[in-house]
């Protein structure tokens, strides 16, 4: 989409890019000034999910909303060059965070982390890896905490987690999105 089309869709933010080693380009929103607020989206959303919150907070806070690699405006490298695993997502977020602190002047402490779905798991791992970085947490519909002892993942998610063919199907098609939309 062009900047004009994005603005017309309620997403009037200037694009920012971080180039990861290996060539993956990650898009992120960086709006406002003040204490940093990191907004991490889930699956299958992107930083567009946070557009109203960013517009409401950017007058008092520095709002940073990355698009995970392969989502939103970020690049979509093939799986030979990017694994799309939880650990890869954490590595991507750590690199982006380091870039923001070292090259974009974002504070290295006192962030507010707002995380939804998959972003909660990744964001909590980032917070644990970087003591002092996150001061406040807002967790929305996420599994960023231990599951109850007797909890079992739904069958579809167990298939994706435990079988390479199912994971490949999800990564190469819209099957997950279609199934979630139908069920939701």
């Amino acid at each position: 989409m062009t900047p004009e089309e994005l603005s017309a869709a309620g997403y009037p933010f200037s694009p920012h890019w971080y180039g990861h080693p290996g060539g993956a380009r990650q898009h992120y929103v960086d709006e406002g000034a003040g204490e940093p607020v990191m907004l991490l989206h889930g699956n299958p959303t992107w930083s567009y999910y946070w557009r109203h919150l960013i517009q409401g907070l950017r007058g008092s806070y520095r709002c940073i909303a990355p698009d995970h690699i392969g989502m939103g405006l970020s690049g979509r490298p093939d799986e030979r060059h990017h694994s799309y695993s939880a650990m890869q997502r954490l590595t991507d977020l750590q690199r982006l965070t380091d870039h923001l602190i070292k090259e974009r002047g974002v504070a290295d402490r006192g962030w507010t982390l707002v995380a939804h779905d998959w972003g909660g798991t990744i964001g909590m791992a980032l917070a644990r890896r970087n003591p002092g970085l996150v001061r406040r947490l807002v967790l929305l519909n996420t599994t960023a905490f231990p599951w109850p002892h007797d909890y079992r993942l739904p069958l579809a998610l167990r298939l994706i987690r435990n079988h390479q063919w199912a994971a490949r199907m999800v990564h190469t098609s819209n099957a997950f999105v279609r199934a979630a939309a139908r069920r939701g």
Side-chain angles (χ1 to χ4, degrees):
M1 294 180 83
T2 67
E4 294 77 21
E5 291 170 323
L6 288 167
S7 186
Y11 190 85
F13 310 119
S14 297
H16 296 277
W17 301 94
Y18 175 67
H20 288 273
R25 281 180 28 119
Q26 185 167 19
H27 171 263
Y28 64 95
V29 172
D30 185 354
E31 291 278 321
E35 291 182 23
V37 176
M38 170 75 76
L39 302 147
L40 294 177
H41 68 83
N43 184 19
T45 60
W46 55 295
S47 57
Y48 186 82
Y49 182 77
W50 304 111
R51 68 196 181 282
H52 298 301
L53 190 57
I54 293 167
Q55 290 173 8
L57 293 178
R58 68 183 173 188
S60 302
Y61 297 93
R62 186 166 181 179
C63 299
I64 300 161
D67 291 338
H68 298 299
I69 301 294
M71 300 174 131
L73 301 177
S74 289
R76 289 163 175 72
D78 64 40
E79 288 188 51
R80 291 185 316 251
H81 298 100
H82 194 83
S83 72
Y84 293 98
S85 67
M87 287 307 296
Q88 181 64 58
R89 299 254 188 235
L90 175 57
T91 299
D92 296 342
L93 185 59
Q94 182 68 62
R95 287 178 179 152
L96 177 62
T97 300
D98 292 344
H99 162 76
L100 291 166
I101 292 168
K102 292 174 185 165
E103 298 175 33
R104 301 277 303 166
V106 179
D108 64 353
R109 305 183 76 65
W111 293 28
T112 297
L113 173 64
V114 182
H116 170 254
D117 188 65
W118 185 235
T121 304
I122 299 162
M124 289 297 288
L126 179 77
R128 184 172 182 201
R129 184 184 272 187
N130 299 275
L133 178 72
V134 175
R135 179 184 310 156
R136 291 177 294 266
L137 293 170
V138 180
L139 300 174
L140 308 164
N141 189 31
T142 185
T143 60
F145 44 83
W147 292 338
H149 177 67
D150 58 346
Y151 179 78
R152 272 186 70 146
L153 279 174
L155 177 61
L157 295 179
R158 283 197 317 265
L159 287 171
I160 294 166
R161 184 178 192 177
N162 298 326
H163 298 284
Q164 190 67 27
W165 63 267
R168 193 170 25 263
M169 183 180 73
V170 167
H171 288 303
T172 60
S173 73
N174 283 329
F176 184 86
V177 174
R178 287 186 183 120
R182 218 178 353 242
R183 290 192 54 119

